[in-house]
Amino acid sequence: MADTALSARRMPTPRLLGWIALHVVVVLGAAVMFFPFLWTLITSISPGVGLTVTPALWPDNPSLSAYETLFTELPFARVVGNSLLLAVITTLVQLFTSSTAAYAFSRLPFRGAGVVFAVYLATMMIPLQVLIVPLFVELKTFGLLNTYLGALLPTFASAFGIFLLRQAINQVPRELDEAATLDGAGHFRIFWTIILPNIRPALATLTVFAFMGSWNSFLWPLVVLRTPELQTLPIALASLQGQYTTEWDVIMAGSVVSILPMLALYIFAQKYVIQGVASSGIK
């Protein structure tokens, strides 16, 4: 802190003014971005509060009764467990399928690889709403409606994940593969001991995106999972809003609970996410 202040005093006046203006803009931007989260937290500990007025920065009678209601009167622990189960399985399977497919596209050239890769990337432009009906009919045919497997199957492959990891693998020097081949290593050993350790930032990035996509998914679980015991967190949060009256403190408590796992995951993987996005060529 002292070094920063000393360097600021040594700057010429125009540069100093620019430095101050930049930091003011950054602080204001951070405050604007942080305010909705602060509002959510304050509302969750303010019993009976509504959304028509901005709550005080610290409520007069803070209480955790909304969290108690959430976990005692509602099956919220089961809902959180459902979301965690689906998110963890989705993330692990996407890491496997995306990394192996990316290795094939990057290191195992075959006729038409560019066309296949382009077609696969084109699927990213097809919205889920277009696929809902055929996916529903397919799962109904196989008897997978209202099951965890039915909710998971469409999420096992990710075109974005393959693109991200292929870009990362392309930056790993091929000389490492050649040296390992001279030592008698096959594709599996090269993939496991050379490729994966060198693309850890991209793997961490995909972990965050895959977990977040599953954790926040609403439409597909709403269509597939019918019984309350299988509901996921976004569906449960939507069901908390009543037609005539709404307990906003309970809804905000549920929102805080839904934010915490993603916040913890991002804080843990933040360094790798930044490295992965920067090194994979995503603009």
Side-chain angles (χ1 to χ4, degrees):
M1 184 66 68
D3 294 339
T4 304
L6 182 60
S7 61
R9 287 197 298 269
R10 292 176 178 175
M11 291 181 183
T13 302
R15 289 188 59 191
L16 179 60
L17 292 177
W19 182 84
I20 295 175
L22 176 62
H23 283 72
V24 169
V25 170
V26 170
V27 170
L28 290 178
V32 170
M33 295 295 294
F34 180 71
F35 180 75
F37 300 100
L38 179 62
W39 190 356
T40 301
L41 179 60
I42 293 175
T43 304
S44 70
I45 59 176
S46 304
V49 73
L51 296 185
T52 56
V53 295
T54 303
L57 291 180
W58 185 256
D60 296 332
N61 299 306
S63 172
L64 297 178
S65 59
Y67 294 90
E68 183 179 357
T69 301
L70 201 63
F71 286 96
T72 57
E73 299 183 13
L74 301 171
F76 212 73
R78 175 66 182 268
V79 168
V80 174
N82 291 338
S83 291
L84 277 175
L85 176 66
L86 296 181
V88 170
I89 295 177
T90 296
T91 302
L92 293 177
V93 175
Q94 280 195 22
L95 286 173
F96 174 76
T97 57
S98 297
S99 60
T100 52
Y103 180 81
F105 280 118
S106 178
R107 292 297 201 263
L108 303 176
F110 55 91
R111 182 177 298 179
V115 176
V116 174
F117 186 68
V119 171
Y120 202 72
L121 288 184
T123 62
M124 295 174 61
M125 297 183 289
I126 303 177
L128 177 62
Q129 292 81 352
V130 177
L131 304 175
I132 284 289
V133 174
L135 284 175
F136 181 86
V137 173
E138 184 177 0
L139 292 181
K140 183 179 180 181
T141 302
F142 289 101
L144 294 176
L145 291 180
N146 201 35
T147 63
Y148 289 128
L149 183 59
L152 287 169
L153 277 177
T155 68
F156 280 170
S158 169
F160 170 77
I162 294 176
F163 166 74
L164 177 70
L165 297 186
R166 176 180 177 271
Q167 294 296 99
I169 293 175
N170 283 342
Q171 297 186 16
V172 178
R174 291 181 179 269
E175 289 78 7
L176 297 177
D177 299 19
E178 296 171 358
T181 303
L182 292 176
D183 289 338
H187 285 294
F188 179 79
R189 185 177 175 186
I190 293 173
F191 172 75
W192 186 258
T193 61
I194 295 178
I195 299 299
L196 290 184
N198 281 281
I199 62 170
R200 281 180 296 181
L203 292 173
T205 304
L206 180 58
T207 298
V208 173
F209 283 130
F211 189 93
M212 181 173 60
S214 176
W215 185 259
N216 295 328
S217 180
F218 177 81
L219 181 58
W220 180 243
L222 178 65
V223 172
V224 178
L225 304 176
R226 306 293 185 85
T227 58
E229 292 78 11
L230 300 179
Q231 280 186 347
T232 57
L233 194 54
I235 301 175
L237 287 177
S239 65
L240 291 178
Q241 186 171 353
Q243 183 177 0
Y244 301 105
T245 60
T246 300
E247 298 181 7
W248 288 109
D249 54 336
V250 177
I251 292 180
M252 292 304 176
S255 300
V256 171
V257 172
S258 69
I259 291 171
L260 292 179
M262 282 306 311
L263 181 62
L265 178 63
Y266 183 77
I267 291 176
F268 176 76
Q270 179 183 12
K271 179 179 68 174
Y272 297 105
V273 170
I274 295 174
Q275 292 177 4
V277 173
S279 62
S280 299
I282 299 180
K283 302 298 183 182

